[in-house]
Amino acid sequence: QVTGRPWHPAHFRSKLAPYGAEVWVRRGIDLGDEVLWVPLGVFRVVSLDQDDAPDGPIQIEGQDRMRGIIRARLLSPRVFPPETTVGDVVESLVREVYPAAVVMWDEPVNLTPIGRTLVVEQDRYAALREIAGAYGKLLYWDGMGVLRIEDPPDVSEVVWQVRAGRQGVLVRASDSVSDEDAYNAVVATGEGAGGTLSAARGVAMDVGVNSPTRWGGPHGMVPYFFASPLLQT
């Protein structure tokens, strides 16, 4: 939220005009002799609202840089030959939208050739997610506006503990249980036109004797299918 006439986008060249303008948001804690800043993200301006124009507060709605990737659908299919590296595919899809974007990988899988012909029809965001998912990575923009492709955090590492009870921090709790996404087998396949790689196929099943969702048990047989030309083994 900003205040005043100078910030109101009266012209398409105004700094906050919602035509690709971005704002960097950070939050600070005043320690007395210094301010400790924590970046929250770089956000594309989506809309602005001002109840008391032209000098009142301006409420800004923004979304992170993934909005630009999602909206920038391809006009025609893009074909990447087998020798193209994973990193080149990602940078090609991202830097058409953000020419100065920084892409960071936590390990050098970006140097790996895709191995098969990859065709991206229209949805560049879906293609980027598929690439990250094929290598077990998360895809997100961090607080500094850097696109990071990295392993999910270790679920066994505690980063914050909620203390219940009189001296706790729990304000409200709710719960729900559903079998909607409770699969008990995954079939992953990798094949595509072009390249020298043979088709890849893997099956993982829940066969635990005491598992309530075991394959063929009371939960039934509920497989999930995942296919990507980027799966090589």
Side-chain angles (χ1 to χ4, degrees):
Q1 178 174 293
V2 294
T3 304
R5 193 185 302 254
W7 291 102
H8 190 274
H11 193 271
F12 71 91
R13 290 194 179 93
S14 300
K15 291 183 177 181
L16 293 181
Y19 310 118
E22 295 183 327
V23 293
W24 180 44
V25 181
R26 59 180 183 168
R27 187 180 181 91
I29 300 176
D30 190 349
L31 302 178
D33 56 343
E34 64 174 334
V35 177
L36 178 63
W37 293 101
V38 177
L40 300 181
V42 177
F43 300 91
R44 289 173 65 96
V45 176
V46 176
S47 64
L48 300 98
D49 292 300
Q50 188 178 34
D51 291 335
D52 186 16
D55 297 315
I58 301 174
Q59 194 75 26
I60 302 173
E61 178 189 353
Q63 296 182 9
D64 81 351
R65 286 181 166 175
M66 203 63 81
R67 174 182 170 87
I69 299 294
I70 294 171
R71 287 164 60 92
R73 298 173 69 85
L74 297 174
L75 297 178
S76 59
R78 185 76 50 78
V79 180
F80 296 95
E83 63 272 14
T84 311
T85 65
V86 174
D88 286 343
V89 175
V90 170
E91 293 189 6
S92 173
L93 295 174
V94 171
R95 288 184 174 160
E96 285 180 341
V97 183
Y98 301 107
V102 176
V103 182
M104 296 190 66
W105 301 73
D106 63 343
E107 56 181 327
V109 295
N110 57 308
L111 303 178
T112 306
I114 57 178
R116 297 189 183 91
T117 299
L118 176 65
V119 180
V120 180
E121 296 287 346
Q122 292 181 341
D123 194 339
R124 74 177 70 224
Y125 172 62
L128 290 169
R129 287 194 59 185
E130 182 177 354
I131 291 171
Y135 292 92
K137 305 290 183 182
L138 294 179
L139 174 81
Y140 69 96
W141 296 91
D142 69 8
M144 298 298 293
V146 173
L147 181 62
R148 293 188 174 271
I149 305 175
E150 57 190 28
D151 289 336
D154 185 354
V155 296
S156 65
E157 181 180 348
V158 178
V159 295
W160 186 60
Q161 185 173 0
V162 178
R163 293 167 49 203
R166 188 170 183 178
Q167 302 299 322
V169 293
L170 182 62
V171 176
R172 180 177 179 271
S174 61
D175 191 17
S176 65
V177 180
S178 171
D179 73 344
E180 186 64 30
D181 295 314
Y183 303 100
N184 51 15
V186 177
V187 180
T189 55
E191 58 184 346
T196 59
L197 297 174
S198 58
R201 186 176 188 270
V203 179
M205 303 176 67
D206 178 0
V207 294
V209 176
N210 297 319
S211 173
T213 57
R214 67 184 180 277
W215 181 263
H219 186 66
M221 296 176 287
V222 191
Y224 177 82
F225 294 90
F226 175 74
S228 170
L230 295 164
L231 294 180
Q232 299 184 7
T233 63

